[in-house]
Amino acid sequence: KGINIFLARFQGILPANQLVKQVVQEVLHRLISVDIGLEAIKVEKRSLYLTASPVVKNLIFLKREQITAEIAKLLGEQKGRVVL
């Protein structure tokens, strides 16, 4: 019974990849007004892969500096450099 109380404290913690996906989703919505589902975002090491239309990818490419800066700011320095 004692271990359940201890583990309950960590129940709300998101896995690292899930947190990154949520931050990317929020930044893309805020900066380019595009809604991308979490399932369309894949995180591998320090790279992000998006399953999206060419139009969305072009929008991201045009604003990549601003997007990567905002993602890095929200995630903090522990994630290192963000590559889109």
Side-chain angles (χ1 to χ4, degrees):
K1 181 176 177 171
I3 191 74
N4 289 340
I5 294 170
F6 175 74
L7 293 176
R9 287 193 273 169
F10 300 101
Q11 200 168 20
I13 297 177
L14 293 173
N17 283 352
Q18 189 69 17
L19 176 64
V20 172
K21 288 180 178 185
Q22 287 179 347
V23 168
V24 170
Q25 184 183 43
E26 175 189 328
V27 168
L28 292 178
H29 177 73
R30 192 165 7 108
L31 295 180
I32 61 173
S33 301
V34 171
D35 291 321
I36 293 183
L38 294 177
E39 66 280 350
I41 303 169
K42 183 178 177 184
V43 180
E44 281 188 19
K45 297 182 183 176
R46 291 185 179 157
S47 298
L48 298 170
Y49 299 95
L50 300 176
T51 304
S53 71
V55 173
V56 171
K57 289 182 180 181
N58 282 335
L59 285 172
I60 292 169
F61 180 77
L62 292 173
K63 293 195 174 194
R64 72 182 177 273
E65 297 291 328
Q66 188 178 7
I67 292 169
T68 54
E70 187 67 19
I71 291 170
K73 182 176 114 183
L74 290 173
L75 290 177
E77 294 303 318
Q78 78 276 6
K79 291 295 176 188
R81 200 179 79 145
V82 177
V83 178
L84 283 177

